[in-house]
Amino acid sequence: MLCSGVGDDAHDCVSECLSEALKAISVSTELVEEELKPHLDVLLNLLLEKKKGTAEKIVSSGVLLILAQVLRKKSPLTSQVTLLVAEMAREAAVRERCIEAGLVTALVPLLNSPDQDQLLHTGRAIGRICFENAVQQTQLVENGVIPRLVAIMQQYPENDPLVNVCLLALCNLADVDAAREALVEVGVAEVLTYQLKRAPDAERRHLILEVLGSLGESDALKLQFVEAGVPEALSEMIRTLQGGSDTHDLCSIKVGSNLIVTLLLGDESMQKCFGEGTGMVYQDVLSWLQSSNTELQLSGALAIANFARNDSNCVKMLELGVVPHILDLLEQHVAEGDVSVQHAGLSALRNLAIPASNKVRMLEDGVTERIRTLLRSDMPPVQFKLLGTLRMMVDGQEEAASVLGKDEVLLARVMEWCEAKDHAGVRGEANRLLAALIRHSGNPEVIHTVIKADGVQHLISMATSEHVIMQNEALVALAIASAINIEAVQEPFRDSDLLPTLQKMLDNPLVAVEVKFSTLGLICSLANSSMLREQITSLNLWDTLSKLSAHTSTKLAKQADTVMAVLSETA
């Protein structure tokens, strides 16, 4: 039955043909192929010609139940009806009615067909009907479509249209928790790796990358991906695409390198990729640091930070010479100012500086001098990471703490950051670095430089922080400063009301026991100053100490007794 005509006549003819075909289908009771086929052809042709309103008219005619019957019967009409449903479901407005008519439940068993065209039409029909429908997608997973989708790709890996449909379906279902659990059991990693290696175009690449990105959040799948060679396939893809300017290729590079960074978040998967520093992925990551592509530089620095999550990797990477590459990258971005790259590079350096042996080596290599060029950065995320990296560099390193602690330019900048009112993280790290310079150097010149830079007040403020670690770090730094050179610090301590502050901390029942313990240690040091002893007497600290000597913490009570004994001796 063919329709032809021009203008309004053509429209009327189409409408008449459609109505006749729908009427003929709706009165059919036997579902005889010879009777139904020509009418189904009319509907299909109109849908393929994108005749407006066709899908809506089909749905409202009531023939959907008959179509569902045909699908369940698995007759010679099955493939034609499946294609018809797939074309109809392009229209979002009709999808809910398709579900209500039971078309999805009728279609699912057809995914077991040995006919590749039937599989293609079925996959498209189901995918379109269930698009962005969380309830239906969950039901599909419960009905076992996940193993079947993977099996289809395993059976027909070279059938690109069919593989595309399966990938689209996985892409839509990947956020369903049950789907991820099902995928762990069916070898999806090998299938995706194979398809990534043979992806014929950017569209297919993006689809596979999107599926990998969604599934890569699962720890179990993350390890499977690494064992199946996904990171190597991604590395290979990036190597192939590098150097061009095509926007699709650049997008693939960005997504692919980000994916590798994500896969490295798992400890086992990270170690497999590292391969004692000889792994292909690690070698490629090193080359990213030297790339002109900012996205690759960023992913490279983040990947190094991930590899540097255990001491043995850190030591090995330092031996293999990773640090100069990171420093070159940081210096390159001081002027260009890419905050993300600087932040990631400093994260990598900070992690590498955790093992004590690495600190010594990095100091010998002049790392602190080179990263000080970042002091001029106006970007809070960079400032935060820079301060944390410097603090890690001086941790337990007397010489490094002495060198940096006597650097007036550095201290002036640290003082500015100690007052960063809009950035609590920067302010906290600046204070912690200040305390670390005194704690780890134990150097009178450092103490003198800190006093000269007006750093004492910041340490006193830090001692009243809401964070116990910061309080203790400040109190220990103040105690070391007073033990080394009480004459130099007694006036700044008196002028900044240190002792009244310490008394309030001791009297406050909410202050942690370990903080009070450190506070008492500091008061012991302050008792060596006649100027501060007078203040201790005038504040009547003896009553506060007497109460603490009866504290339930025997350690704290003993420390209070010790301070009272010291005060008695110096009275």
Side-chain angles (χ1 to χ4, degrees):
M1 186 185 295
L2 297 172
C3 299
S4 61
V6 180
D8 291 338
D9 289 341
H11 178 75
D12 292 341
C13 182
V14 166
S15 184
E16 187 181 335
C17 289
L18 179 58
S19 297
E20 284 181 22
L22 290 169
K23 186 178 178 183
I25 295 169
S26 62
V27 297
S28 172
T29 54
E30 300 299 321
L31 307 181
V32 178
E33 181 187 359
E34 292 77 15
E35 288 181 14
L36 283 180
K37 190 174 188 316
H39 305 303
L40 292 171
D41 281 339
V42 171
L43 303 188
L44 186 54
N45 287 333
L46 292 173
L47 286 167
L48 290 169
E49 290 168 14
K50 308 283 193 295
K51 297 294 184 184
K52 194 174 179 186
T54 301
E56 287 85 346
K57 283 177 183 171
I58 294 172
V59 168
S60 56
S61 73
V63 302
L64 293 189
L65 291 171
I66 295 171
L67 298 180
Q69 273 182 281
V70 174
L71 293 175
R72 287 194 182 93
K73 197 177 172 189
K74 295 181 185 172
S75 73
L77 294 170
T78 301
S79 185
Q80 187 185 20
V81 171
T82 309
L83 178 56
L84 174 65
V85 174
E87 289 303 314
M88 190 169 57
R90 287 181 186 274
E91 301 293 330
V94 308
R95 291 170 187 163
E96 196 59 45
R97 295 284 294 276
C98 290
I99 294 165
E100 291 166 4
L103 283 171
V104 177
T105 53
L107 284 163
V108 168
L110 300 178
L111 287 173
N112 293 303
S113 169
D115 184 304
Q116 294 182 52
D117 287 337
Q118 176 66 66
L119 289 172
L120 181 63
H121 303 329
T122 304
R124 281 178 176 158
I126 293 173
R128 287 168 186 165
I129 294 173
C130 300
F131 182 65
E132 292 187 337
N133 186 323
V135 173
Q136 282 300 308
Q137 289 175 353
T138 302
Q139 284 182 6
L140 285 174
V141 175
E142 289 169 357
N143 288 331
V145 300
I146 292 294
R148 191 61 203 131
L149 290 171
V150 175
I152 290 168
M153 288 194 286
Q154 287 169 334
Q155 284 174 277
Y156 312 109
E158 313 296 326
N159 185 331
D160 285 337
L162 188 52
V163 167
N164 250 22
V165 166
C166 292
L167 286 170
L168 272 168
L170 284 180
C171 205
N172 290 329
L173 297 173
D175 289 330
V176 179
D177 288 339
R180 293 182 186 178
E181 290 167 18
L183 284 164
V184 171
E185 309 296 327
V186 292
V188 71
E190 288 82 2
V191 170
L192 293 174
T193 306
Y194 178 77
Q195 290 300 334
L196 182 60
K197 286 179 177 177
R198 67 174 291 275
D201 51 41
E203 187 179 345
R204 173 73 62 81
R205 273 202 316 268
H206 288 185
L207 197 49
I208 298 165
L209 291 173
E210 195 168 337
V211 175
L212 287 168
S214 296
L215 300 180
E217 294 169 20
S218 155
D219 286 339
L221 284 169
K222 200 175 282 174
L223 189 55
Q224 281 190 15
F225 286 166
V226 172
E227 288 173 341
V230 169
E232 286 80 5
L234 290 168
S235 271
E236 201 175 308
M237 177 197 78
I238 291 166
R239 236 180 293 128
T240 307
L241 299 176
Q242 263 184 282
S245 57
D246 180 82
T247 51
H248 296 296
D249 291 351
L250 291 173
C251 181
S252 292
I253 287 172
K254 178 181 179 179
V255 176
S257 61
N258 286 343
L259 254 169
I260 288 178
V261 173
T262 301
L263 293 175
L264 295 177
L265 290 171
D267 287 339
E268 280 187 79
S269 50
M270 179 266 287
Q271 282 305 108
K272 283 181 183 293
C273 289
F274 185 58
E276 294 299 313
T278 62
M280 185 188 101
V281 176
Y282 176 69
Q283 294 297 323
D284 279 354
V285 161
L286 278 183
S287 73
W288 298 353
L289 296 175
Q290 301 157 71
S291 165
S292 57
N293 182 319
T294 305
E295 293 295 344
L296 274 184
Q297 292 174 350
L298 173 59
S299 292
L302 290 171
I304 295 295
N306 280 344
F307 282 126
R309 288 207 313 276
N310 68 47
D311 285 5
S312 62
N313 285 7
C314 289
V315 171
K316 189 70 180 175
M317 282 193 279
L318 214 69
E319 286 172 9
L320 295 171
V322 71
V323 171
H325 296 309
I326 298 172
L327 293 171
D328 290 343
L329 185 63
L330 286 169
E331 287 171 355
Q332 178 186 330
H333 284 277
V334 173
E336 295 174 21
D338 191 292
V339 178
S340 301
V341 175
Q342 292 179 68
H343 193 269
L346 286 166
S347 294
L349 274 186
R350 184 192 179 283
N351 286 2
L352 287 165
I354 291 173
S357 60
N358 274 16
K359 286 184 178 63
V360 175
R361 175 84 178 272
M362 289 167 79
L363 291 168
E364 288 170 352
D365 291 345
V367 171
T368 47
E369 284 80 1
R370 288 187 69 180
I371 62 173
R372 273 156 58 193
T373 58
L374 292 170
L375 285 171
R376 51 192 162 130
S377 173
D378 292 322
M379 304 295 179
V382 177
Q383 295 167 354
F384 177 78
K385 276 293 175 188
L386 173 63
L387 288 162
T389 305
L390 288 171
R391 183 165 59 81
M392 187 55 66
M393 291 294 299
V394 302
D395 186 22
Q397 300 302 310
E398 183 181 335
E399 185 184 344
S402 296
V403 171
L404 291 180
K406 289 183 277 188
D407 185 329
E408 293 184 6
V409 175
L410 169 68
L411 277 180
R413 194 68 167 128
V414 171
M415 293 305 121
E416 285 178 41
W417 291 336
C418 281
E419 296 170 5
K421 292 182 174 58
D422 297 331
H423 300 284
V426 172
R427 189 168 66 247
E429 278 294 342
N431 278 291
R432 293 189 74 187
L433 176 59
L434 190 61
L437 294 173
I438 293 174
R439 284 167 49 233
H440 296 295
S441 72
N443 188 309
E445 289 182 62
V446 171
I447 293 161
H448 174 75
T449 311
V450 170
I451 293 168
K452 187 179 171 185
D454 293 329
V456 170
Q457 186 56 54
H458 292 303
L459 291 174
I460 293 171
S461 298
M462 182 181 168
T464 60
S465 161
E466 58 191 29
H467 303 291
V468 171
I469 290 174
M470 288 180 65
Q471 285 183 294
N472 268 329
E473 286 174 356
L475 291 165
V476 170
L478 291 169
I480 289 171
S482 54
I484 289 173
N485 194 343
I486 190 67
E487 284 77 19
V489 296
Q490 59 184 358
E491 283 192 35
F493 283 178
R494 183 195 61 193
D495 296 343
S496 58
D497 287 333
L498 173 60
L499 278 164
T501 300
L502 298 179
Q503 186 174 27
K504 283 177 190 170
M505 288 166 67
L506 293 173
D507 288 336
N508 186 346
L510 299 177
V511 170
V513 168
E514 58 264 44
V515 172
K516 289 187 178 183
F517 186 86
S518 297
T519 303
L520 290 171
L522 173 55
I523 290 170
C524 248
S525 294
L526 301 181
N528 292 316
S529 159
S530 54
M531 180 191 295
L532 295 173
R533 266 202 316 276
E534 287 176 21
Q535 203 173 11
I536 289 171
T537 306
S538 66
L539 287 169
N540 198 14
L541 256 175
W542 198 269
D543 283 355
T544 297
L545 295 169
S546 297
K547 288 174 189 170
L548 287 175
S549 70
H551 199 277
T552 51
S553 164
T554 52
K555 183 182 174 186
L556 186 60
K558 190 176 178 183
Q559 180 82 323
D561 290 339
T562 302
V563 176
M564 286 195 288
V566 169
L567 290 175
S568 297
E569 287 171 15
T570 55

